[in-house]
Amino acid sequence: MNEVLHQFLEKHPRAAFVDLVLPDLNGIARGKRIPVDMLAKAFGAGVNLPASIFALDITGATVDATGLVWETGDADHLCRCVPETLQPMPWRSVPSAQILLTMDDHGSGFFADPRAIAQRAVARLKAMGMRPQVAFELEFYLYGLEDGRPRPLAPGGFPDEDTQVYDLDSLDRQQAFFDALHSACASQGLPLEGTVAEYAPGQFEVNLHYRHDALRAADDAWFLKRLVKGVAQAQGCCATFMAKPYPALAGSGMHVHVSLADGQGNNVFARQPAVLRHALGGLLNTLPEGVALFAPHANSYRRFQTASYAPTMPCWGENNRTAALRIPSSEPDALRIEHRFAGADANPYLVLAAILEGIAFGIEAAMEPPPPISGNAYASAEGGPAALPGRWEEALAALAVGERLRPRLGMDFVDVYCAVKQQEMARLAAAYHPLEYGWYLDRA
């Protein structure tokens, strides 16, 4: 029996079920739930699942245009367990565990598997002699339902309009949730570093500690999203990573901190300033093509508003939260880029892949960035760099025909991703809005 499995069962002898999880293009947990006594077989022989999992839209509807369904006979592919991701699911009433799967395509990873795409991006930088080190920060809302609509949780008699950013009392008022979250993170080995009350009632940010293994950092972010939702449900409330759940309140972002280490573990950005410049240049140059991955849904584009802390222009700045790319104030050994563009609704694996491929592109091409932005990036928009795609269809078009990011992520993957998102977009456009009846039914 695999040693990882043996140690896990010794530590969690009451575990009854295991979720074998293959995250889809949207980061939704797909896969199988099996009795724990079948896990040894899954470790050894793997699990068969259809590639059409990567042809599902956000609603779970199959997208025929991906070519992953009828053309292949909806064929199964072998999926392997990722041993280091085996961990408990402490929010479930029945002791359970979960483990990530990765779809194996003759040992090289399936072309449409987001985790495999991120793994290839990590490998590209390693082949260049640099190891990416990464940490994720995620914002989310705790909410309850009122008349079927979400309402931010603001316990203790405080009005919903109260923002109270960085307010420690707001964390105290959600003490039961955060106590459970911290305990669950510890049991799962997730390196939770800090929690912050954010810019709206019921909105919080959780920070994960740096990982020297960038792929594990993306695993952390994916597991954290599932954990936050599970703990909230166990506490009798709900959590959402939707990018902009409320029109008048702050959106939720996914901020990614990344640095590069050389073979001796030294910070490359600190020792080779040209590499930092080229990384910034590559990230800014590929950002227009990556918008569709950083903002994957129709709602994602509501987040990008002036004076919202969601960046709207391809620019960088030092210690400047209005820029898309920020160089935080730090000691030299901690010099890093904070990528602030992605929404919390994005798939962490695809976000990581797009960022690392942008960095690799910039280093390979020795691409110089424009001068850093000073002050308010929103006020500097006029006469500045070209605006990023601001609509879903524009972002998908930019990715579909892109000449930089698309070949690095894989032409076939981009075709599948765009097909899935185009079906979602078409279905949303065809849906009737309640205002259509309110405005036109009696008046037309």
Side-chain angles (χ1 to χ4, degrees):
M1 184 184 296
N2 184 286
E3 184 62 26
V4 171
L5 176 56
H6 178 72
Q7 292 178 1
F8 178 85
L9 294 178
E10 277 194 337
K11 189 174 181 180
H12 304 280
R14 296 179 59 241
F17 297 97
V18 182
D19 283 1
L20 308 178
V21 185
L22 186 65
D24 71 2
L25 295 187
N26 288 298
I28 294 175
R30 312 282 182 185
K32 295 182 178 181
R33 181 167 295 167
I34 62 173
V36 72
D37 56 11
M38 294 181 62
L39 185 54
K41 180 180 178 181
F43 258 77
V47 179
N48 286 320
L49 288 171
S52 57
I53 280 178
F54 303 119
L56 301 177
D57 68 14
I58 192 70
T59 72
T62 300
V63 181
D64 295 345
T66 60
L68 295 179
V69 191
W70 309 115
E71 293 85 347
T72 67
D74 201 14
D76 279 340
H77 287 247
L78 181 65
C79 298
R80 296 288 187 185
C81 294
V82 182
E84 61 269 23
T85 66
L86 179 60
Q87 56 184 243
M89 297 168 61
W91 67 88
R92 297 200 63 214
S93 57
V94 176
S96 303
Q98 60 183 340
I99 188 170
L100 288 177
L101 301 174
T102 185
M103 188 168 281
D104 198 341
D105 192 12
H106 308 294
S108 60
F110 188 67
F111 76 91
D113 181 345
R115 193 176 190 275
I117 294 166
Q119 189 170 28
R120 287 194 289 272
V122 172
R124 193 188 303 275
L125 280 166
K126 285 185 176 179
M128 297 166 64
M130 291 171 286
R131 184 181 72 248
Q133 302 181 121
V134 172
F136 282 78
E137 299 172 350
L138 287 160
E139 296 169 341
F140 65 95
Y141 276 92
L142 291 178
Y143 70 95
L145 292 175
E146 186 174 291
D147 298 326
R149 297 180 66 84
R151 186 175 181 86
L153 289 187
F158 285 80
D160 287 343
E161 292 77 14
D162 270 16
T163 299
Q164 301 299 344
V165 65
Y166 296 114
D167 175 41
L168 294 176
D169 289 343
S170 294
L171 297 178
D172 289 342
R173 291 193 291 275
Q174 299 292 355
Q175 181 176 348
F177 169 81
F178 283 107
D179 285 350
L181 181 64
H182 286 115
S183 176
C185 284
S187 71
Q188 290 189 318
L190 294 180
L192 188 64
E193 191 170 68
T195 53
V196 174
E198 269 294 342
Y199 284 87
Q203 188 189 36
F204 302 93
E205 180 184 82
V206 284
N207 310 138
L208 291 163
H209 190 68
Y210 253 83
R211 286 276 196 187
H212 298 301
D213 182 339
L215 191 60
R216 286 301 306 277
D219 291 338
D220 290 342
W222 188 87
F223 277 125
L224 181 66
K225 291 180 74 170
R226 194 176 195 210
L227 178 61
V228 166
K229 292 179 181 180
V231 169
Q233 185 176 17
Q235 293 291 319
C237 59
C238 303
T240 181
F241 291 90
M242 188 176 177
K244 186 75 171 174
Y246 308 103
L249 298 180
S252 294
M254 176 187 292
H255 303 156
V256 185
H257 294 251
V258 58
S259 63
L260 300 175
D262 62 20
Q264 290 72 47
N266 301 310
N267 187 318
V268 176
F269 288 162
R271 296 198 169 206
Q272 302 179 50
V275 174
L276 174 59
R277 294 198 314 272
H278 298 157
L280 289 166
L283 286 170
L284 292 174
N285 194 268
T286 57
L287 184 54
E289 294 179 30
V291 169
L293 302 173
F294 301 135
H297 308 301
N299 175 263
S300 305
Y301 297 84
R302 297 184 182 276
R303 175 172 159 262
F304 302 114
Q305 299 179 13
T306 298
S308 66
Y309 287 99
T312 58
M313 303 297 293
C315 60
W316 72 281
E318 297 177 352
N319 197 18
N320 190 331
R321 284 187 170 87
T322 68
L325 306 177
R326 172 179 176 246
I327 306 298
S329 178
S330 70
E331 296 296 322
D333 287 344
L335 186 62
R336 63 197 185 274
I337 298 170
E338 180 189 8
H339 196 288
R340 297 178 55 81
F341 194 83
D345 56 340
N347 184 324
Y349 298 109
L350 297 181
V351 169
L352 177 66
I355 291 173
L356 297 186
E357 292 292 6
I359 289 174
F361 173 75
I363 294 172
E364 290 171 358
M367 187 161 291
E368 293 290 339
I373 200 81
S374 295
N376 185 355
Y378 302 108
S380 304
E382 187 174 345
L388 295 167
R391 298 176 62 86
W392 200 11
E393 59 269 26
E394 296 170 353
L396 287 172
L399 177 62
V401 301
E403 297 179 353
R404 295 173 175 84
L405 202 54
R406 181 175 181 244
R408 304 179 79 91
L409 296 172
M411 304 284 200
D412 291 340
F413 160 72
V414 170
D415 289 345
V416 166
Y417 183 85
C418 289
V420 168
K421 292 301 168 182
Q422 284 161 356
Q423 175 166 299
E424 287 181 22
M425 187 165 54
R427 291 181 63 193
L428 189 65
Y432 275 54
H433 192 284
L435 285 178
E436 289 188 64
Y437 292 115
W439 288 358
Y440 309 128
L441 189 64
D442 293 331
R443 297 187 177 105

